[in-house]
Amino acid sequence: MKKLFTPILLLVLFSTVASAQSEYQPYSYQFYQKLNPDIYNTQSRAHTSLKPFFIDDSLVKQHYDALMGLGVDSGKHSWAHRKLFNEHLFDVREKDYTFFADYLPDLMIGKDFSGSKNTWLNTRGYQAGGTIGGKFYFYTSGFENQAVYPEYLNTYINQVGQVPGQGYDRSSGKNTKDWSYVTALISYTPVKYLNITLGQDKTFIGDGYRSMLLSDVAAPYPFFKLTGKLGNVQYMAMWAYMDDPLAPKFNSFGDDRRKWGVFHYLDWNVSNRFSVGFFDAVIWAAADDQGHSRGFDFQYVNPIIFLRPVEAQSGSGDNALIAMTSKYKISNGITVYGQFLLDEFISKEFFSSDGSSRNKYSWQLGVRGGDMFGIKSLSYLFETNNTKPYTYSERSEIINYSEQGEPLAHPWGANFREFVGLLNYSYKRFDFSGEVDYGHYGLDLTDGSGNTINYGKDIFQVYIDPAREFGNYTGQGLTTNMIYLEGKVAYLLNPKYNLRIELGGIIRDEKNAQFHDKTALFTIGLRSSFRNLYTDLASYKTH
C-alpha cells in the first residue's frame, strides 16, 4: 500500500496552488436534510448520492453559508458571547491559509423508565480544520467517551464488542462503556474535476436514510479516495483497510484480522430530474485462515468499475457485490429514489420461487423532499429496506461485508424488512425531529445441543452452512417485530459546530417468542458535532 500512497503524497507536497479547494462537511442526516430544497431542486443537477459532500456547488454553498451563520448577528458582543453563539473557538482567516478549531462537548443524562435505569454520556471532543492555499483542505475530529446506555444498547455492545458506529468498547462488558472515536483526512483538489482524499472516516452512498450499498453505521476506517467530476458524471474509486475482531484469529497473540476493500461508484445525472448510479465492491483478506500474508492486491488498483466483480463471480475467492441506484425528482418537493444490490447471482435460482439460500440481494425504495405541505423547512423521508437471508455473508468470516464487527451497509445485517419515516422541522434556532421505524426480521436459533442454526441475519456466520438450502424467506428463524419511536427538540446555540441543548425521547418495543424488550427513554443534554450516531438498532443475536 505504501507503493500506492507515496507518489500521491509527493504530488500533494510539491504541487503549486491554483484552483479553489473543496470544503469538507462531515455527514449527518440531520444537517444534510436541511439542504433538500437546493440539492433536490428540479433546476439543479447536483450529485446527491455520494456523501460527505465537498461544498463547492455555488447554489449549495450559498445555503450552507446561511446555515453556518444561522442567528449570527454583527452586533458588538463580548468574546465569551461570540465564541458561545457565533464563532469557532479558534478561527484564523488569512489570504494563503485558514484554520478553525472547536471544543466539542457531548454531555447527556437520561432515564429509562421501563427498566428504572439512569443513563448518561460524557464525551470530550475536538474538531480542527482549514485550508492551505487554494488546493488543500484538512480536517480532524476526536472524542473520548464514557457512557451508561439503556439496556438494549448495552446488550448490543456486549454482544458485538463495539459501541455502535464509533469504536471498540474498552470496558470488557462492564456497565459503564469506554471508547474513543477519531477521524482525520487531507484533501487535495489539483483541478476542479478531481479530488484526492487520504484519511480515516466513513463514506455513505445513497439518497435515503439507510444505504444498502455503503453506509456510515460502522466505525471509521483508513481509506484512499479519488473523486472525479466531468459534466454530469461523478465517479469515485476508494481503497480501504479494515479490521475484523470477530473473525477467527490465527496467532497466539489474539490479534484482530485485517482485510482490504475496493469500492467504485459512478453517478450519472441523465437530466435535471433523473439520475442513475452504478456501484461495485470487492472485499479480500489481508491473510488467509492459515496466517499466510496476502497484503494489498495490486490487481485491484485498476479503477474500472465492474471489472473485478465480474471476474470474482467467475471463480475468485474474494467477496464481490454489484449494485445500482436511481432517483427521480417528481417536483421540487418530491424525489423518489431506490437501490438494488446483488451479492450473488445464479439465474436459475434467482428467477425461481424456491427460496434458495444463494438468492442474496437487497433493495430500497423511498420518497423524500422539503417544504412539505408548503411549510418552509419541513422535510420528510419515507422508505422501505429489504434484505434476503444470508446477504453480505461469505464462505469465510473474514471477507464478509463488515468493518470492525459491524455491517458496512444496513445496521440490521440481513434477513429483515424495514419501514421508516422521518420528519424534520427548523424554525430559527429550534430543530424538531421525529422517527417512526417498524422492523420485521428473523434471529438465529440454537438446537438441542446448543449449536447455532444460521437463519441468515448474522452476516458474520458463513453462508455455506444455512439452516436450509431452499425454502428460505425474510423473517425466518426466531421471527421478531420491532417498533421504534423517537422525538427530539433542540435549540441551536452555535451553528459553527452544532452546539445545542437537546431533549429526546425513545420508545422501543422488540418482541418474539423468546423475549420481549421494552424501552422508554428520556434524555436531556448539551450536544455538539456533525455525526450520525444510530440508536434505532435491532437485536443482532438472541439474548
Side-chain angles (χ1 to χ4, degrees):
M1 196 61 178
K2 292 180 180 179
K3 295 179 181 179
L4 176 64
F5 285 168
T6 300
I8 300 299
L9 291 175
L10 290 174
L11 180 64
V12 167
L13 291 172
F14 295 106
S15 294
T16 60
V17 173
S19 60
Q21 78 284 336
S22 294
E23 187 173 356
Y24 170 84
Q25 173 58 36
Y27 175 60
S28 74
Y29 175 83
Q30 178 65 20
F31 181 81
Y32 272 52
Q33 55 85 26
K34 296 180 180 182
L35 299 172
N36 280 355
D38 293 329
I39 62 177
Y40 292 106
N41 190 292
T42 56
Q43 302 305 310
S44 169
R45 285 202 182 187
H47 293 280
T48 60
S49 298
L50 184 60
K51 304 176 180 78
F53 291 163
F54 287 99
I55 308 296
D56 53 6
D57 181 89
S58 59
L59 182 62
V60 175
K61 186 67 164 61
Q62 183 178 1
H63 194 170
Y64 172 80
D65 288 342
L67 292 172
M68 289 292 103
L70 183 66
V72 174
D73 61 74
S74 57
K76 292 184 178 180
H77 298 289
S78 67
W79 181 90
H81 182 280
R82 288 185 286 109
K83 297 305 176 182
L84 180 60
F85 295 106
N86 293 353
E87 302 176 357
H88 291 293
L89 182 60
F90 298 99
D91 197 353
V92 179
R93 299 194 175 273
E94 300 292 342
K95 181 180 178 180
D96 296 328
Y97 67 91
T98 65
F99 175 79
F100 69 88
D102 296 296
Y103 172 69
L104 302 179
D106 203 348
L107 311 171
M108 190 166 58
I109 57 174
K111 178 75 172 183
D112 183 357
F113 294 96
S114 59
S116 298
K117 181 179 182 180
N118 295 322
T119 65
W120 53 267
L121 172 67
N122 180 9
T123 293
R124 295 82 60 204
Y126 73 88
Q127 72 167 3
T131 63
I132 303 174
K135 291 187 176 183
F136 294 95
Y137 182 81
F138 62 91
Y139 179 84
T140 179
S141 66
F143 305 86
E144 187 64 27
N145 318 266
Q146 289 80 39
V148 171
Y149 281 114
E151 200 55 39
Y152 81 96
L153 288 176
N154 200 56
T155 299
Y156 177 96
I157 296 169
N158 289 341
Q159 289 181 342
V160 178
Q162 306 290 322
V163 177
Q166 298 187 65
Y168 172 70
D169 172 32
R170 299 186 295 240
S171 72
S172 301
K174 296 178 182 178
N175 192 46
T176 299
K177 305 306 178 186
D178 184 3
W179 73 99
S180 297
Y181 178 101
V182 177
T183 70
L185 63 84
I186 56 172
S187 167
Y188 174 54
T189 307
V191 292
K192 66 180 181 179
Y193 308 107
L194 176 66
N195 176 264
I196 304 168
T197 303
L198 176 67
Q200 175 166 304
D201 206 344
K202 308 179 184 185
T203 296
F204 185 101
I205 296 177
D207 288 286
Y209 173 61
R210 310 288 198 187
S211 175
M212 316 307 281
L213 281 58
L214 182 61
S215 185
D216 59 345
V217 300
Y221 44 83
F223 69 88
F224 173 70
K225 184 191 301 184
L226 303 176
T227 307
K229 289 183 182 180
L230 185 60
N232 297 316
V233 175
Q234 181 186 56
Y235 186 68
M236 179 206 76
M238 181 175 72
W239 297 263
Y241 189 50
M242 299 178 179
D243 178 276
D244 196 335
L246 301 183
K249 310 294 190 293
F250 52 68
N251 63 43
S252 59
F253 300 103
D255 295 331
D256 289 346
R257 300 279 297 276
R258 308 286 179 173
K259 57 187 174 185
W260 294 93
V262 58
F263 307 86
H264 302 126
Y265 181 65
L266 185 150
D267 186 43
W268 176 29
N269 287 333
V270 181
S271 69
N272 284 2
R273 293 179 181 264
F274 178 64
S275 71
V276 61
F278 304 95
F279 171 83
D280 74 37
V282 179
I283 306 293
W284 73 96
D288 62 24
D289 291 338
Q290 287 72 47
H292 301 137
S293 178
R294 178 181 177 183
F296 182 80
D297 192 332
F298 280 88
Q299 66 180 328
Y300 291 119
V301 171
N302 193 323
I304 300 176
I305 193 168
F306 293 149
L307 178 62
R308 286 300 302 158
V310 170
E311 295 178 7
Q313 289 287 349
S314 65
S316 168
D318 300 331
N319 183 10
L321 306 94
I322 59 174
M324 70 175 298
T325 67
S326 185
K327 75 172 184 288
Y328 183 78
K329 304 172 189 174
I330 298 175
S331 68
N332 287 340
I334 305 175
T335 296
V336 178
Y337 61 88
Q339 296 183 338
F340 181 79
L341 177 137
L342 190 61
D343 190 5
E344 189 163 351
F345 180 75
I346 300 176
S347 59
K348 179 181 178 181
E349 297 176 356
F350 184 83
F351 293 108
S352 71
S353 58
D354 57 10
S356 170
S357 62
R358 303 186 71 177
N359 282 342
K360 299 161 58 183
Y361 61 88
S362 298
W363 62 272
Q364 176 189 85
L365 184 63
V367 58
R368 68 179 298 167
D371 300 344
M372 188 178 184
F373 305 127
I375 302 174
K376 185 176 177 58
S377 301
L378 177 58
S379 297
Y380 68 92
L381 178 148
F382 303 101
E383 76 180 29
T384 179
N385 300 297
N386 298 260
T387 299
K388 300 292 288 184
Y390 308 105
T391 307
Y392 306 114
S393 62
E394 256 298 331
R395 300 178 182 88
S396 172
E397 295 97 323
I398 184 63
I399 58 172
N400 57 38
Y401 201 60
S402 71
E403 143 66 3
Q404 203 161 311
E406 294 184 284
L408 278 168
H410 197 289
W412 296 2
N415 188 18
F416 70 85
R417 183 177 298 117
E418 178 191 33
F419 300 92
V420 59
L422 301 169
L423 287 178
N424 300 87
Y425 176 63
S426 299
Y427 177 74
K428 296 184 178 179
R429 287 185 181 243
F430 284 96
D431 276 323
F432 303 86
S433 62
E435 175 183 352
V436 178
D437 200 335
Y438 168 75
H440 175 80
Y441 43 88
L443 301 174
D444 290 346
L445 290 167
T446 55
D447 60 21
S449 302
N451 299 314
T452 299
I453 304 174
N454 181 11
Y455 280 99
K457 185 177 189 301
D458 187 351
I459 68 172
F460 297 93
Q461 299 285 334
V462 294
Y463 80 86
I464 57 175
D465 188 23
R468 48 180 170 259
E469 187 175 354
F470 296 99
N472 296 281
Y473 60 91
T474 301
Q476 67 181 8
L478 181 58
T479 301
T480 306
N481 294 297
M482 183 187 75
I483 296 176
Y484 180 93
L485 308 173
E486 182 176 14
K488 294 179 181 178
V489 179
Y491 181 78
L492 187 65
L493 297 175
N494 192 320
K496 295 295 192 297
Y497 53 102
N498 201 22
L499 180 68
R500 63 200 186 275
I501 299 171
E502 183 178 280
L503 301 176
I506 293 174
I507 296 176
R508 181 181 182 273
D509 188 286
E510 185 180 35
K511 185 178 182 179
N512 56 42
Q514 291 190 8
F515 61 83
H516 187 186
D517 283 350
K518 294 182 178 181
T519 301
L521 179 69
F522 173 79
T523 59
I524 182 171
L526 178 67
R527 316 205 65 183
S528 63
S529 84
F530 299 96
R531 294 186 293 165
N532 272 337
L533 300 178
Y534 295 95
T535 55
D536 49 1
L537 304 176
S539 287
Y540 220 79
K541 303 176 182 179
T542 54
H543 292 16

